[in-house]
Amino acid sequence: MKHSTYRSQAKLHDQLKPGAKSANLSTQDSQFDKNSIEMTRADKQQQSKDSVYFRDGVRRIDFILSYIDDKDGEKKQDRRKEFEANLQKIGLELETEDKSESEDGRTYFLKIHVPWEVLATYADVLKIKVPFKANDIPDKKEVPLSWLCTPYRLPEHVMQPEPDYFTATFDKSKIDFFLIEDKETFFPPSTRSRIVYYILSRCSYSKEDKDKKGIKRLLNNGTYVAAFPLHDCRYWTKSIDANCESERYALYKYWARFSSFYKEQPLNLVRKYYGEKIGIYFAWLGFYTEMLSYAAVVGLLCFIYGLATFDENVWSKEICNETIGGQIIMCPLCDKKCGYWKLSTTCSSSWQSYLFDNTATLFFAIFMGIWVTLFLEFWKRRQARLEYEWDLVDMEEEQQQMQLRPEYEIKCTHRRLNQVTQEMEPYLPLTSKCARSVLSGATVLFWISLIFACIIAVIVYRLAVFAAFAGIMKDSPTNNMDLIGNLITPQFATSVTASCLNFIIIMVLNFLYEHVAIKITDMEVPRTHVEYENKLTVKMFLFQFVNYYSSCFYVAFFKGKFVGYPGDYSYMFGKWRNEECEPGGCLIELTTQLVIVMVGKQVWGNIQEALVPWLRNWWVSRSARSHPESLYSRWEQDHDLQSFSQLGLFYEYLEMVIQFGFITLFVASFPLAPLLALMNNILEVRVDAWKFTTQFRRPVAAKAHSIGVWDEILNMIAVFSVVTNAFIVAFTSDMIPRLVYKYAYHLDTESTMEGYINNSLSVFNISEIPEKNRPEDGENPDWFYSSNITTCRYRDYRYPPGHEKQYTYTMQFWHIFAAKFAFIIIMEHVVFVVKFFVAWLIPDVPSDVEARTKRERYLIQEYLHNYELEKLKIQLSQNQNGPSIEPCTPHIQSCVL
């Protein structure tokens, strides 16, 4: 059942262009408009306005346009008059609510109804699938012990709001082939609003310039204030109209309340009410949250392992031991303002670091590499099942490509012949496209460079403020507190304040760049909505990737790696001495950075998503909250809600994908990250559901058979995460140096970690420290002057003073270096082999879905063949015997049923 999409679209616009006649279209809407103005407040109280029907109670309101009649708005009036006249010529039926009927006394509401003839015509063009036969494939047998899931189940009428049918693409010429019981309810409200919006996006509003068309431009220039389909009822109560489905109430009752957080999602009802694109998002979010529960459990077990083996942490015991760590004098951590210090002062941070830097860290890093593969592969299977159940299997890309963006059609004045359809179509010349792409790429590079400049500024802050914190906190009263005295150190204060500063910079840059990304994507004039979203997604994710993760990459892979040694320190820009890691390593600081940015983003995101829309709606509707239903019309209630932008889902996906990066790219440093993400996502599902159901106008339904380009981004992150976690284990944690010491450099016959701290610290002669690096008078502690100290220790593997190779790298350093790279190669190969094997082992499409798809295609061919055959027989019989032959419709319907 293939159709030339461009050809049918062109024919449709030729048939339904302004001035053309449409069959069986109502001409009574002007009378309704006159009657609407004559209604009084008394009439309004007698007739409830919380309705989704015209005043006749028969024709359903499929779309609402609102506008304010300005005093000097003659041009707007002319545009509205022409636009509405063209809509009526196409076949839509209109009814106006006068401004005297609105709460503010200023706003007009234009109600739009699409009759059957127009619905059928555009359903054919948009290739909408409709039922033609009840599904005769029996469901799978009940899963054993499924009764255990009863508390998590929702009622059957909520989970399955519609019977299961085999479906085929709608064809207006074969009306009697489909299961049409009632033409008014055959297409659900979400499909009806989608068809209306398609018409509105392409309807002209100017007699002089036919290229001036589309509701988007009318909204942008203020001709109309809002355009939206209606919710079917108030969310907290069912509609008083028995013919209304009250699906919004069901969604709120069973889905959007936080008390239902442990329940399954009614995805079929979400899809029916909001469309497949939003349904796919919630299906993915729910599946991602479900898979996170497994990673969270394993991560929690790894953390518990760290707690359980706390006493086996020999190196931390040595640091805290006054006879070992208390006797090791460390070199100053900064110039002038930092004095000599004892290793035992890092006792607390060493114990904290062990909770995340232990043997279980390696296991968890490997596990997450496999988990992310299982997540992506099982999601493919889940997505394939949804594609079948939601009639998206044969939704070809050509159907998406057919739907050119109105902005593209308007801005592209050049035309050329389409080699496939043999029709003229708009196009953007290659020179213009290249120029726009170059300018767009240069803008993105500039903003990414701006991020790097901000990161360097934060690094400079860390380097500059560390010495200040060291001087301030030397005599701080907190040093005498038992609980927090050892925790609040200059390193800790620097790390926390720098992380918070970095988070603020991230939020500010995000806010600014979002507007820039949309502007430059508009400038590129993408051809289709899919292309537009893909271009914007790549720009936004590339920016967000650098913005959110760059600080974590710095701490993980750069901090403490290019320090030098006491006699020859490295400096940034020749002024600020590079940071050192604590003797416990930089892993605990990476954990701090990850927690602050990740948790801060999630908290801020939930506040922004839930609190801001609620406050705005509260402020807008404050004057109408006390009015009864009969006075507060359905269209006014929805008009007072927040508008759901076309990019609304884009930001939802972006938020979750950034979180996915945090729990995969750096999870080796913080095994509890999946647990935090799980708790956030349990809240996120219900917050998003509550927001869609109660705070936003009903969005226009849109088709989508997958999560789009986000799937490729997730796969990219999954591959990259294996590399980053291997490097974190090798270079950020101390696992490899400890293992090398235990099995190669420990002097006793039995392999233990005793003596590791002393082995991991090099010695430097204090008398050789340059004057510019020495502490100022009064910066050293009192005990330093009371004893004869000639050497200090620093974190490295270098020969001691007096050695023929003094202060150069020892052989142990090169052994550890080689072991680190060997570990990276082995870990990457093991994880990638397992990943590819798992991906090969798990089929993308479940076997029962394949069977059902084949069965449906077979039935479509068989029934269409029988249909055409019966039609031909009847035509032949009519030609031979006259008009006394029975019509074929009853026979076909009985055959189909």
Side-chain angles (χ1 to χ4, degrees):
M1 292 180 62
K2 303 288 183 185
H3 297 268
S4 174
T5 312
Y6 284 110
R7 190 182 303 278
S8 58
Q9 183 182 10
K11 288 180 179 177
L12 174 70
H13 281 282
D14 288 340
Q15 294 170 5
L16 299 181
K17 63 184 179 180
K21 294 183 179 180
S22 301
N24 300 325
L25 299 180
S26 172
T27 59
Q28 300 176 359
D29 29 284
S30 60
Q31 298 176 2
F32 284 110
D33 293 339
K34 294 178 181 178
N35 293 335
S36 67
I37 301 175
E38 297 172 358
M39 287 186 65
T40 63
R41 285 283 178 176
D43 297 329
K44 192 174 182 181
Q45 291 178 358
Q46 294 173 5
Q47 178 187 0
S48 173
K49 299 302 247 180
D50 192 38
S51 171
V52 293
Y53 291 93
F54 275 25
R55 296 190 197 96
D56 58 10
V58 176
R59 294 174 294 171
R60 188 182 186 103
I61 301 173
D62 297 310
F63 224 86
I64 291 288
L65 302 181
S66 66
Y67 61 92
I68 297 175
D69 199 0
D70 300 330
K71 295 179 180 178
D72 54 348
E74 292 184 7
K75 288 186 178 180
K76 294 180 181 178
Q77 278 187 344
D78 293 340
R79 286 194 291 258
R80 279 195 297 268
K81 186 176 180 180
E82 180 67 19
F83 186 68
E84 291 168 18
N86 289 338
L87 290 179
Q88 289 178 316
K89 290 173 184 177
I90 288 174
L92 300 184
E93 298 177 5
L94 312 179
E95 184 177 85
T96 303
E97 288 287 330
D98 189 67
K99 64 180 180 180
S100 62
E101 301 296 322
S102 64
E103 282 300 326
D104 59 6
R106 301 170 58 239
T107 307
Y108 292 85
F109 291 94
L110 180 68
K111 297 178 283 188
I112 301 176
H113 170 76
V114 53
W116 169 258
E117 193 68 26
V118 180
L119 274 175
T121 303
Y122 277 90
D124 194 345
V125 170
L126 295 176
K127 302 295 176 284
I128 293 172
K129 284 194 169 186
V130 294
F132 71 91
K133 182 186 184 301
N135 193 334
D136 60 358
I137 299 179
D139 292 332
K140 282 189 171 183
K141 295 181 179 179
E142 192 171 342
V143 180
L145 301 177
S146 61
W147 57 270
L148 292 173
C149 298
T150 303
Y152 313 106
R153 302 291 185 197
L154 291 175
E156 186 65 21
H157 74 276
V158 177
M159 291 302 297
Q160 301 293 340
E162 295 178 309
D164 193 8
Y165 293 108
F166 288 122
T167 59
T169 303
F170 184 80
D171 190 338
K172 187 180 177 182
S173 64
K174 299 180 176 65
I175 292 291
D176 51 354
F177 176 73
F178 303 102
L179 298 179
I180 303 177
E181 297 179 0
D182 184 353
K183 290 183 178 180
E184 290 301 317
T185 59
F186 181 64
F187 293 104
S190 58
T191 301
R192 297 172 69 97
S193 65
R194 178 182 164 214
I195 290 174
V196 175
Y197 188 74
Y198 183 85
I199 297 172
L200 294 176
S201 299
R202 287 157 175 79
C203 184
S204 174
Y205 59 83
S206 174
K207 291 181 180 179
E208 296 79 16
D209 188 355
K210 294 301 179 183
D211 286 334
K212 290 184 177 181
K213 56 186 177 181
I215 188 62
K216 281 189 177 180
R217 296 185 73 176
L218 292 174
L219 290 171
N220 290 336
N221 61 32
T223 303
Y224 289 100
V225 177
F228 54 92
L230 286 179
H231 284 295
D232 59 5
C233 66
R234 296 190 175 196
Y235 67 84
W236 65 86
T237 183
K238 288 186 177 181
S239 173
I240 59 175
D241 189 344
N243 295 324
C244 188
E245 301 87 352
S246 295
E247 291 174 345
R248 185 190 187 193
Y249 168 75
L251 286 170
Y252 176 72
K253 180 179 179 181
Y254 296 105
W255 181 52
R257 293 193 294 189
F258 186 72
S259 58
S260 303
F261 75 92
Y262 62 95
K263 297 279 190 179
E264 59 185 339
Q265 295 189 83
L267 293 176
N268 289 322
L269 185 57
V270 174
R271 172 248 182 170
K272 182 185 177 186
Y273 192 75
Y274 289 114
E276 288 79 4
K277 192 170 185 178
I278 291 177
I280 282 282
Y281 164 72
F282 279 103
W284 177 82
L285 179 58
F287 184 79
Y288 171 46
T289 304
E290 180 184 343
M291 290 295 291
L292 268 178
S293 62
Y294 304 108
V297 169
V298 177
L300 183 60
L301 290 176
C302 291
F303 181 74
I304 292 173
Y305 171 84
L307 290 174
T309 58
F310 219 47
D311 290 338
E312 300 176 15
N313 183 6
V314 177
W315 54 92
S316 292
K317 289 181 178 179
E318 291 185 348
I319 291 176
C320 299
N321 193 324
E322 286 299 324
T323 61
I324 302 176
Q327 300 301 315
I328 296 178
I329 309 303
M330 302 296 294
C331 298
L333 292 173
C334 64
D335 297 338
K336 302 295 185 179
K337 295 296 181 181
C338 297
Y340 297 94
W341 52 285
K342 292 183 178 181
L343 182 60
S344 57
T345 57
T346 62
C347 176
S348 297
S349 62
S350 175
W351 284 107
Q352 295 166 14
S353 179
Y354 175 76
L355 292 175
F356 309 109
D357 189 5
N358 53 62
T359 310
T361 302
L362 172 59
F363 165 77
F364 192 62
I366 296 174
F367 168 81
M368 287 301 293
I370 299 171
W371 172 88
V372 74
T373 304
L374 291 172
F375 163 64
L376 295 174
E377 292 302 317
F378 282 124
W379 166 245
K380 288 179 184 177
R381 291 171 61 84
R382 176 68 173 138
Q383 187 171 266
R385 187 176 297 279
L386 289 175
E387 284 182 19
Y388 169 76
E389 293 176 353
W390 293 355
D391 302 323
L392 303 170
V393 173
D394 295 322
M395 196 187 88
E396 302 173 356
E397 289 301 320
E398 287 79 3
Q399 296 180 32
Q400 297 292 321
Q401 298 298 324
M402 174 271 293
Q403 298 180 21
L404 300 178
R405 294 175 65 238
E407 296 86 350
Y408 180 84
E409 295 177 308
I410 293 167
K411 292 182 180 179
C412 296
T413 56
H414 297 78
R415 295 288 188 272
R416 67 180 176 187
L417 185 68
N418 187 302
Q419 298 300 321
V420 177
T421 64
Q422 292 298 304
E423 295 175 359
M424 299 302 291
E425 65 176 13
Y427 83 102
L428 195 66
L430 182 62
T431 53
S432 177
K433 185 181 292 186
C434 291
R436 293 170 186 266
S437 298
V438 169
L439 182 58
S440 173
T443 306
V444 174
L445 287 176
F446 168 78
W447 278 86
I448 291 178
S449 302
L450 185 61
I451 296 176
F452 284 121
C454 291
I455 292 301
I456 292 174
V458 173
I459 294 173
V460 169
Y461 165 83
R462 300 173 71 111
L463 301 179
V465 84
F466 178 80
F469 275 126
I472 293 171
M473 301 180 69
K474 180 181 62 173
D475 301 320
S476 174
T478 58
N479 293 337
N480 300 321
M481 298 182 183
D482 294 336
L483 292 177
I484 63 173
N486 293 328
L487 297 177
I488 303 179
T489 61
Q491 294 95 326
F492 179 80
T494 302
S495 176
V496 170
T497 56
S499 298
C500 293
L501 177 63
N502 181 66
F503 176 71
I504 294 172
I505 291 175
I506 287 173
M507 292 295 105
V508 172
L509 289 177
N510 277 349
F511 176 77
L512 297 175
Y513 182 74
E514 282 179 8
H515 298 82
V516 174
I518 292 173
K519 289 291 185 184
I520 60 178
T521 305
D522 290 338
M523 180 198 65
E524 291 183 67
V525 196
R527 189 170 184 267
T528 65
H529 292 290
V530 174
E531 186 179 343
Y532 181 89
E533 289 188 2
N534 289 347
K535 285 178 177 291
L536 182 62
T537 298
V538 171
K539 291 182 184 67
M540 284 296 294
F541 178 75
L542 184 62
F543 179 85
Q544 300 268 27
F545 185 91
V546 178
N547 198 18
Y548 277 108
Y549 303 142
S550 54
S551 59
C552 293
F553 273 102
Y554 164 73
V555 175
F557 306 122
F558 295 97
K559 183 183 175 183
K561 307 298 186 296
F562 310 99
V563 177
Y565 60 95
D568 186 21
Y569 284 120
S570 300
Y571 289 81
M572 175 177 280
F573 306 128
K575 184 175 183 181
W576 294 285
R577 179 171 145 187
N578 289 346
E579 286 184 282
E580 294 184 44
C581 290
E582 294 185 11
C586 277
L587 193 72
I588 190 66
E589 185 168 344
L590 176 59
T591 303
T592 304
Q593 180 79 23
L594 184 64
V595 169
I596 289 176
V597 176
M598 179 180 171
V599 175
K601 181 186 182 303
Q602 292 177 349
V603 171
W604 175 254
N606 285 324
I607 292 174
Q608 202 172 22
E609 287 183 17
L611 189 60
V612 173
W614 181 82
L615 288 174
R616 286 177 177 173
N617 289 336
W618 177 85
W619 180 257
V620 170
S621 63
R622 63 192 184 282
S623 62
R625 282 193 295 274
S626 59
H627 290 186
E629 240 178 50
S630 59
L631 291 178
Y632 197 23
S633 65
R634 168 103 316 270
W635 42 91
E636 286 179 282
Q637 293 175 43
D638 286 7
H639 185 265
D640 289 342
L641 297 177
Q642 294 298 301
S643 174
F644 185 76
S645 71
Q646 187 180 356
L647 298 175
L649 275 187
F650 166 81
Y651 294 112
E652 302 293 345
Y653 275 118
L654 183 63
E655 178 186 3
M656 288 295 102
V657 171
I658 293 296
Q659 182 204 81
F660 181 80
F662 278 124
I663 68 163
T664 53
L665 294 173
F666 308 102
V667 74
S669 68
F670 189 45
L672 294 180
L675 181 61
L676 293 179
L678 174 64
M679 293 188 293
N680 174 80
N681 286 10
I682 291 173
L683 180 64
E684 181 77 20
V685 171
R686 303 303 159 179
V687 167
D688 285 350
W690 173 81
K691 182 176 61 177
F692 272 91
T693 309
T694 68
Q695 302 302 308
F696 282 104
R697 297 170 188 159
R698 188 173 183 174
V700 178
K703 285 274 187 181
H705 68 281
S706 67
I707 62 175
V709 71
W710 296 111
D711 197 22
E712 298 300 322
I713 292 175
L714 291 173
N715 278 287
M716 181 199 74
I717 293 175
V719 173
F720 195 41
S721 67
V722 177
V723 179
T724 56
N725 283 300
F727 271 87
I728 287 173
V729 174
F731 285 96
T732 310
S733 81
D734 275 350
M735 182 173 296
I736 302 301
R738 289 199 296 261
L739 291 176
V740 170
Y741 171 79
K742 182 176 181 179
Y743 294 107
Y745 285 88
H746 189 261
L747 300 178
D748 296 340
T749 55
E750 182 181 356
S751 296
T752 67
M753 292 303 298
E754 292 181 1
Y756 168 72
I757 290 298
N758 188 61
N759 176 266
S760 64
L761 298 174
S762 298
V763 181
F764 195 84
N765 196 331
I766 291 179
S767 61
E768 298 180 26
I769 295 180
E771 185 64 30
K772 65 176 183 178
N773 301 134
R774 291 184 179 181
E776 294 178 347
D777 294 337
E779 296 296 336
N780 290 322
D782 295 336
W783 52 260
F784 180 79
Y785 299 104
S786 61
S787 55
N788 185 22
I789 300 174
T790 58
T791 61
C792 63
R793 310 293 291 273
Y794 60 99
R795 183 184 169 85
D796 212 338
Y797 293 91
R798 294 177 183 270
Y799 288 110
H803 194 278
E804 59 180 350
K805 297 180 180 179
Q806 68 173 7
Y807 307 140
T808 60
Y809 288 122
T810 64
M811 188 57 66
Q812 184 176 354
F813 170 85
W814 298 111
H815 286 169
I816 292 172
F817 191 76
K820 288 179 177 180
F821 273 100
F823 168 80
I824 290 171
I825 294 171
I826 293 172
M827 178 180 168
E828 287 181 357
H829 281 70
V830 169
V831 175
F832 279 131
V833 167
V834 174
K835 280 170 65 71
F836 291 133
F837 175 74
V838 169
W840 170 81
L841 190 64
I842 302 174
D844 291 346
V845 182
S847 57
D848 64 312
V849 171
E850 279 189 308
R852 287 170 179 263
T853 304
K854 291 177 181 177
R855 170 71 175 160
E856 186 168 304
R857 287 172 177 167
Y858 167 77
L859 283 176
I860 291 173
Q861 294 177 352
E862 181 185 29
Y863 274 69
L864 279 175
H865 176 267
N866 292 339
Y867 175 85
E868 297 293 349
L869 188 62
E870 290 292 332
K871 206 170 183 179
L872 180 61
K873 285 180 180 179
I874 291 172
Q875 289 176 353
L876 292 174
S877 299
Q878 287 175 340
N879 292 335
Q880 294 174 1
N881 302 326
S884 61
I885 305 298
E886 293 184 7
C888 69
T889 302
H891 175 74
I892 294 299
Q893 289 288 5
S894 62
C895 176
V896 172
L897 290 171

